[in-house]
């Protein structure tokens, strides 16, 4: 009889601990919504939600999740990140983070007065690991991964463009209290392969390392160009005066590297960019080619260009070679960025167009 009583007490204790842990986890997940709004100023709206309890873990599913953020004069048109479904998991085997599984794709844009979506993504589940609290002044860092990710731009200068990434992994870092020596946002991303709408060949071993340096207040032009604040008609100086003025401040975007392997050839691009309220992009960039002669030989031997493009490329090569001694190994070219276009010798390159007004 005493043995049965002991077993009953033991079982009751296990049930009590199990129930307490799950109730505590449920309360903590529920409180995260309030903490999120307090720390970011954004609100989370959900069409419906339900909670499931497992052994040592609790999951909460949010269907029709919307994150709404408003600021400044644009508060009448809140920015929205929308996802069909998000699953949050808090478990004993990862007690310091919440695992997020985002399903059904995401959209970002404005919800009112009429829904306008700037970009959307879709594909299988996107997995993120979000820390439960900020560590010191270093902000938050959330690792993520996905087997497949398709991102399409719907509005703005990149409308109609997109990229498909396979075997994606990386880390997003953000710090709302960033100082001048820190970064507001950083992104480290790698993919086994990337296929771009504007480029017919896939890029293998694609990687991105970029950041928004300094505090949020250092990027007024960038925010206004994205519609985060009501744009005010700017009257900036022109020409070199603009670059001298901006070069003394913090860049809006620092691209440490965007690179990959195309047809067996490695290519890398880095930049420091300033963005005006009119979405005008200015700055400096650098193109790195580990083997310039192999690039030229591959482009010409595989008939990748039209006759006009080959003629232009030859003239560009001649113009650049007059200013550089070409080594057999790595070559780094300084490429100015003016009015949103990269200057390569006498040519101007944008995302969708290559023009050479000084040739032919």
């Amino acid at each position: 009889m005493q043995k049965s009583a002991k077993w009953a007490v033991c079982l009751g204790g296990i049930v009590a601990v199990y129930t307490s842990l799950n109730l505590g986890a449920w309360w903590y997940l529920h409180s995260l919504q309030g903490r999120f709004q307090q720390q970011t100023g954004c609100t989370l709206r959900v069409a419906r939600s339900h909670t499931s309890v497992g052994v040592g873990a609790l999951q909460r599913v949010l269907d029709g999740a919307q994150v709404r953020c408003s600021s400044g004069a644009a508060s009448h048109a809140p920015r929205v990140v929308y996802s069909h479904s998000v699953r949050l998991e808090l478990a004993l085997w990862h007690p310091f983070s919440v695992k997020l599984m985002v399903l059904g794709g995401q959209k970002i844009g404005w919800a009112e007065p009429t829904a306008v979506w700037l970009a959307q993504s879709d594909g299988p589940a996107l997995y993120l690991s979000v820390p439960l609290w900020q560590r010191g002044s270093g902000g938050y860092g959330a690792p993520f991964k996905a087997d497949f990710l398709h991102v399409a731009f719907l509005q703005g200068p990149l409308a109609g463009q997109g990229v498909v990434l396979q075997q994606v992994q990386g880390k997003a870092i953000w710090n709302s209290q960033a100082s001048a020596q820190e970064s507001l946002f950083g992104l480290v991303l790698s993919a086994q392969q990337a296929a771009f709408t504007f480029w017919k060949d896939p890029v293998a071993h694609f990687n991105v390392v970029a950041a928004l340096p300094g505090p949020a207040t250092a990027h007024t032009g960038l925010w206004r160009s994205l519609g985060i604040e009501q744009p005010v008609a700017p009257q900036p100086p022109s020409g070199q005066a603009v670059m001298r003025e901006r070069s003394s401040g913090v860049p809006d975007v620092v691209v440490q590297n965007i690179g990959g392997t195309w047809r067996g050839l490695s290519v890398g691009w880095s930049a420091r960019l300033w963005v005006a309220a009119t979405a005008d992009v200015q700055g400096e960039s650098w193109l790195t080619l580990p083997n310039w002669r192999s690039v030229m030989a591959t482009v010409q031997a595989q008939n990748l260009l039209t006759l006009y493009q080959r003629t232009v490329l030859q003239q560009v090569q001649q113009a650049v070679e007059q200013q550089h001694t070409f080594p057999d190994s790595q070559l780094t070219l300084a490429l100015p960025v003016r009015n949103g276009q990269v200057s390569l010798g006498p040519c101007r390159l944008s995302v969708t167009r290559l023009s050479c007004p000084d040739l032919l």
Side-chain angles (χ1 to χ4, degrees):
M1 190 68 177
Q2 288 184 336
K3 183 178 291 188
S4 298
K6 289 181 179 179
W7 277 109
V9 171
C10 182
L11 181 60
I14 293 174
V15 171
V17 171
Y18 173 76
T19 303
S20 299
L21 287 174
N22 282 299
L23 286 175
W26 177 87
W27 174 84
Y28 195 80
L29 279 180
H30 187 74
S31 67
L32 285 178
Q33 180 174 338
R35 289 181 55 192
F36 172 79
Q37 181 173 346
Q38 182 180 9
Q39 293 178 0
T40 66
C42 302
T43 59
L44 173 64
R45 299 183 181 182
V46 180
R48 55 189 173 275
S49 66
H50 62 274
T51 303
S52 61
V53 178
V55 179
L58 182 140
Q59 292 183 351
R60 191 176 186 191
V61 178
L62 311 177
D63 292 326
Q66 290 190 14
V67 176
R68 292 174 173 246
C69 305
S70 301
S71 64
S75 58
H76 64 283
R79 303 178 307 285
V80 173
V81 178
Y82 170 82
S83 181
H84 293 292
S85 181
V86 179
R87 189 178 75 188
L88 296 82
E89 179 188 75
L90 184 62
L92 293 176
W93 47 88
H94 52 82
F96 304 114
S97 65
V98 174
K99 301 294 185 183
L100 271 68
M101 186 172 74
V102 184
L103 303 169
Q106 304 81 46
K107 295 180 180 179
I108 182 169
W110 287 269
E112 299 169 1
T114 302
V116 177
W117 300 112
L118 302 180
Q120 68 178 19
S121 65
D122 54 74
L126 175 65
Y127 298 90
L128 300 96
S129 179
V130 181
L132 291 176
W133 56 76
Q134 187 175 12
R135 296 183 177 181
S137 61
Y140 295 88
F144 61 86
K145 64 178 181 179
D147 294 333
F148 170 89
L149 186 64
H150 171 230
V151 180
F153 299 96
L154 308 178
Q155 303 287 338
L158 295 179
Q161 305 301 320
V163 59
V164 176
L165 303 172
Q166 297 182 15
Q167 299 300 318
V168 187
Q169 62 179 345
K171 188 175 185 179
I173 302 169
W174 67 97
N175 184 358
S176 59
Q177 306 299 321
S179 65
Q181 289 73 40
E182 298 170 326
S183 292
L184 174 68
F185 178 78
L187 176 66
V188 178
L189 178 148
S190 64
Q192 187 180 79
Q193 181 173 285
F196 299 91
T197 306
F198 53 86
W199 189 260
K200 65 179 182 179
D201 294 321
V203 177
H205 310 299
F206 180 71
N207 62 88
V208 176
V209 181
L212 303 182
T217 53
H219 306 292
T220 304
L222 175 62
W223 304 141
R224 291 181 177 177
S225 70
L226 296 174
I228 293 179
E229 293 183 5
Q230 188 69 28
V232 178
Q235 295 180 352
S238 59
Q240 294 298 318
V242 175
M243 291 309 302
R244 285 196 299 269
E245 180 180 281
R246 292 179 181 172
S247 62
S248 61
V250 177
D252 289 303
V253 181
V254 172
V255 180
Q256 185 172 336
N257 185 63
I258 295 179
T261 303
W262 169 72
R263 295 191 176 226
L265 304 170
S266 297
V267 179
W269 183 73
S270 57
R272 295 189 307 158
L273 304 173
W274 285 262
V275 183
T278 55
D280 177 27
V281 181
Q282 309 278 350
E284 305 298 333
S285 70
W286 297 266
L287 179 67
T288 301
L289 303 172
N291 195 321
W292 166 263
R293 299 189 187 280
S294 295
V295 173
M296 298 299 295
T298 299
V299 169
Q300 296 180 13
Q302 299 188 20
N303 296 321
L304 300 177
L305 306 176
T306 65
L307 177 61
Y308 167 76
Q309 291 171 332
R310 287 197 300 271
T311 303
V312 168
L313 183 63
Q314 291 173 358
Q315 295 192 42
V316 170
Q317 181 180 2
Q318 293 173 1
V320 176
E321 283 180 338
Q322 292 176 359
Q323 304 177 23
H324 299 270
T325 300
F326 279 76
D328 292 331
S329 56
Q330 179 171 297
L331 171 70
T332 299
L333 294 175
L335 307 178
V337 180
R338 303 291 183 266
N339 301 317
Q341 296 183 329
V342 177
S343 299
L344 176 59
C347 296
R348 307 293 179 266
L349 176 66
S350 66
V351 171
T352 58
R353 186 168 179 263
L354 174 65
S355 63
C356 303
D358 299 332
L359 297 177
L360 301 181

